[in-house]
Amino acid sequence: MDVTDSAGRAAYISFIVSLCYCTDYELGYDPTVVWNADKKYWVIKCPDSTAAKDGKVRVVEYYARKQIVEAERIFGRHTRGFAASLNQNMVDEPDTFIKDAWPYESSDSQHTSQNELDILKYIEKKLGGKSVDRLGIVRAKNSGIVRFREAVDLVNDDTSAMLGSVFANFKVALSQTPAEPTTNNRALTEDNLAKSILLRVHRRMVLQPLGRPLNTLKSPYKLIIVLADIMVAHSVILKTCGYLHRDISPNNIMVVDDGERVRGLLIDFDHAIKTDKSRLAIAERTGTLPFMSICNLQNSKVQRSELDDWESLLYVVCWLGVHGVNRDEQVAYQQEIDAMCKDDEYYKPPLAKWEAGTFDDVAITKKNDLEDDERFNDCVLQYFQEGAAYDELKDMARSLRLALFENPELGLLYSGVSVIRNIPDKPASRKGAKVLGKSVKAIEKGVKTLKIGAQAFGKRSKTSRKGAKTSEIVTSRGSGSYSERFWIKYVNPFEKRLELDARNQINDNILALMSEFKDIATAALCKLQPMVC
């Protein structure tokens, strides 16, 4: 709109006049969240997912005194969170978390994705309510798409309803721009969805139990306990339900008080995805920048696995070890950094490059920081906060790095993550590390045998087929060759099985490691706070 000409000025005036006739909803007000000025609390209407399926829409009212999660920006998911209660008389003792967000969905049936509510319901059904509570997995109650009344009709609150004809025109324009190819239509990235059919749907979820943020913890010992808990839950969800979380970060780990003890609570399954039989997920870039795995940052074509989430946990440990676990430590650290930056404009705080620059820049930084024990200590560990509890957290970080990037138990075939996740590595540096263990030699021998079998299979096929081309016989897995079919039928499944076995071993070893650190942290807390035991 160009206001320097008459047509532009007329359009501008028309726009201003139209605003004067907009309804509250068209101006951006949410009619399902109302502030009660007399009692000073929010009345939030949530979809009643337990109501009879008779086509009628019912809501349940919750009451919230304060908003504990604020949307960071206008665009995006615009996630907000409220600490609420179903009983208005208990509004000051909330027991429920209400998550209000605008996730991407698609009005195109070819791009239908599974939402967080469906995933949580499936996990609860698969594991059972008691197991979900014991493991520390959030449960969904009254949840669904927010609906509002437009004239006499109830309509879904989404961008198509909000933008009306503007959305329809935009949809037509976007449909003429081909989306980037994807290997799984049920798991499109936001960029891909934006290039197919843009649609954000307003969803509201009632989640229990109500946890508190990690930065409310007073001791790194308690952080260790919480992290051990959530990764046990993560492993059970993956192995039993087949879902990979893909966004392990401080904001998605909560604390639940169990008397004097604490336990972890894993939340936010927005990015979770169903895995295949080998527990591998589609290769796409997801997560929170400082905590994304190197493979994720590089947008590698290698499928994602639990190792990516374990690597994210390593970065969580490092981040909180440097910045501080609780809010007071984090504020003090930031004030110290601000003062140093003021004195020296070229000063770069530790881990600053983990959240700045391009994805490739962050990946390169992390690979350099974690290259070996010496660099890891110089670039990360030496900046941890001081104290015995932080020393234990430092040991945990060192152990996680060794387990993920220098794995002597598995030898060079699976040393670090080079084969499993296609990241260059160096030989294990721990003393006593063997180059190749007996189990690894057996694996290599098995793979070699199958490869020789593929060659022989192809050569025998050459004599049995008239006019067969030599290019169809070689072991390069040429398209349509007998050796390729042998490879696909026998070698590929065998290699996938070997990789799954390797990941199982790494996962189980790290879980055992986390359990040891949890026991150490619990014992330390018993000495400091006898009431905890």
Side-chain angles (χ1 to χ4, degrees):
M1 161 184 323
D2 185 2
V3 295
T4 61
D5 58 39
S6 58
R9 288 192 291 273
Y12 177 72
I13 293 172
S14 176
F15 170 73
I16 297 297
V17 172
S18 297
L19 282 178
C20 298
Y21 287 92
C22 283
T23 64
D24 287 347
Y25 174 76
E26 289 170 332
L27 290 174
Y29 289 97
D30 185 349
T32 63
V33 179
V34 179
W35 175 251
N36 187 319
D38 294 333
K39 298 186 177 180
K40 293 183 172 24
Y41 57 58
W42 295 98
V43 180
I44 306 172
K45 296 180 180 180
C46 299
D48 186 357
S49 54
T50 64
K53 306 298 181 183
D54 55 5
K56 297 181 180 180
V57 178
R58 296 178 175 84
V59 297
V60 179
E61 289 187 347
Y62 285 82
Y63 306 91
R65 187 77 75 188
K66 60 181 180 178
Q67 181 178 330
I68 59 176
V69 176
E70 296 184 2
E72 297 178 351
R73 52 181 180 164
I74 296 176
F75 299 101
R77 291 174 178 265
H78 203 266
T79 302
R80 298 179 298 166
F82 299 85
S85 173
L86 190 58
N87 185 343
Q88 59 182 320
N89 296 322
M90 300 292 291
V91 68
D92 291 316
E93 298 180 24
D95 60 354
T96 299
F97 180 76
I98 296 180
K99 179 179 179 180
D100 187 271
W102 289 76
Y104 265 122
E105 292 199 10
S106 177
S107 56
D108 180 356
S109 60
Q110 293 182 350
H111 297 143
T112 302
S113 59
Q114 197 165 17
N115 60 66
E116 185 179 14
L117 175 61
D118 294 336
I119 294 172
L120 291 176
K121 289 294 185 183
Y122 177 81
I123 292 173
E124 184 175 350
K125 180 180 179 181
K126 192 78 173 178
L127 298 178
K130 291 183 178 180
S131 294
V132 166
D133 292 338
R134 176 177 55 81
L135 289 167
I137 304 169
V138 69
R139 299 173 68 176
K141 300 293 183 181
N142 295 308
S143 307
I145 298 174
V146 175
R147 307 188 78 185
F148 67 97
R149 188 168 296 282
E150 180 73 14
V152 295
D153 299 322
L154 278 168
V155 297
N156 289 347
D157 190 13
D158 56 39
T159 47
S160 65
M162 183 178 295
L163 299 176
S165 60
V166 175
F167 176 82
N169 295 333
F170 190 38
K171 175 179 172 181
V172 171
L174 285 173
S175 65
Q176 297 171 356
T177 303
E180 295 177 3
T182 178
T183 57
N184 185 341
N185 283 336
R186 297 183 62 197
L188 292 174
T189 63
E190 292 196 355
D191 288 341
N192 283 336
L193 278 170
K195 291 181 180 178
S196 55
I197 299 175
L198 183 67
L199 178 67
R200 285 191 180 273
V201 175
H202 189 185
R203 289 187 174 275
R204 188 167 293 149
M205 298 179 62
V206 176
L207 304 171
Q208 290 182 333
L210 174 65
R212 54 188 176 92
L214 278 183
N215 62 11
T216 59
L217 290 172
K218 297 300 182 183
S219 168
Y221 288 130
K222 291 187 176 183
L223 174 66
I224 291 172
I225 294 171
V226 168
L227 296 182
D229 286 346
I230 67 106
M231 291 313 290
V232 169
H234 175 278
S235 297
V236 171
I237 291 171
L238 180 60
K239 290 184 177 182
T240 306
C241 306
Y243 277 99
L244 185 65
H245 190 278
R246 302 197 305 169
D247 192 13
I248 300 297
S249 61
N251 288 339
N252 294 336
I253 304 170
M254 305 296 283
V255 182
V256 176
D257 295 302
D258 187 4
E260 293 293 328
R261 297 174 181 266
V262 295
R263 56 189 178 92
L265 180 69
L266 185 61
I267 66 167
D268 198 348
F269 287 77
D270 271 333
H271 293 290
I273 190 172
K274 191 74 172 176
T275 59
D276 61 19
K277 292 181 180 179
S278 298
R279 294 211 313 271
L280 294 170
I282 180 176
E284 66 177 1
R285 184 185 283 148
T286 57
T288 306
L289 184 58
F291 315 105
M292 291 168 63
S293 70
I294 296 172
C295 193
N296 216 346
L297 290 165
Q298 292 177 327
N299 208 17
S300 167
K301 293 181 180 179
V302 177
Q303 289 176 287
R304 307 298 185 258
S305 72
E306 61 267 47
L307 298 186
D308 290 278
D309 281 2
W310 275 116
E311 190 179 334
S312 293
L313 184 79
L314 166 60
Y315 300 138
V316 170
V317 173
C318 293
W319 190 267
L320 296 178
V322 172
H323 290 82
V325 170
N326 61 64
R327 188 179 291 110
D328 292 340
E329 290 173 336
Q330 291 169 1
V331 170
Y333 173 80
Q334 190 58 51
Q335 290 174 345
E336 180 182 347
I337 293 300
D338 290 342
M340 296 181 73
C341 290
K342 186 176 181 180
D343 295 337
D344 182 0
E345 60 178 322
Y346 298 106
Y347 174 74
K348 295 293 183 184
L351 309 188
K353 291 185 178 181
W354 285 19
E355 59 175 345
T358 66
F359 289 114
D360 287 336
D361 291 339
V362 177
I364 291 171
T365 299
K366 285 184 175 180
K367 288 173 72 172
N368 290 333
D369 290 350
L370 276 72
E371 184 176 11
D372 53 42
D373 273 339
E374 185 176 353
R375 284 196 62 83
F376 187 50
N377 183 73
D378 292 343
C379 299
V380 181
L381 297 184
Q382 70 162 322
Y383 298 105
F384 269 44
Q385 303 271 326
E386 295 181 354
Y390 277 102
D391 287 342
E392 205 62 50
L393 201 63
K394 190 183 298 183
D395 286 343
M396 174 185 280
R398 186 180 290 110
S399 298
L400 284 171
R401 193 200 73 83
L402 286 171
L404 289 167
F405 292 93
E406 297 183 33
N407 204 319
E409 291 80 8
L410 293 172
L412 278 181
L413 183 62
Y414 293 113
S415 176
V417 286
S418 59
V419 174
I420 296 176
R421 289 170 5 192
N422 198 28
I423 301 174
D425 67 327
K426 289 187 174 183
S429 61
R430 294 181 78 180
K431 60 180 180 178
K434 296 180 180 179
V435 176
L436 288 175
K438 292 182 180 179
S439 60
V440 176
K441 288 183 178 179
I443 290 171
E444 289 180 323
K445 185 177 179 180
V447 173
K448 185 177 180 181
T449 301
L450 282 174
K451 289 179 179 178
I452 293 172
Q455 289 179 351
F457 189 81
K459 289 177 181 178
R460 285 196 297 271
S461 301
K462 180 179 180 180
T463 61
S464 62
R465 292 184 295 150
K466 293 182 179 180
K469 295 180 180 179
T470 305
S471 60
E472 291 183 301
I473 312 304
V474 297
T475 58
S476 60
R477 302 186 235 180
S479 177
S481 67
Y482 277 83
S483 56
E484 178 188 27
R485 278 178 267 172
F486 181 92
W487 188 280
I488 292 172
K489 185 175 182 180
Y490 297 107
V491 181
N492 274 359
F494 185 70
E495 285 189 327
K496 281 191 174 183
R497 182 66 223 180
L498 293 178
E499 187 203 353
L500 178 59
D501 289 343
R503 285 190 282 109
N504 276 334
Q505 184 172 346
I506 294 174
N507 190 71
D508 292 345
N509 288 346
I510 300 179
L511 282 175
L513 189 72
M514 296 293 288
S515 179
E516 291 177 12
F517 277 105
K518 180 179 178 179
D519 291 341
I520 293 172
T522 302
L525 285 173
C526 285
K527 290 182 179 180
L528 296 172
Q529 304 171 5
M531 291 296 293
V532 173
C533 302

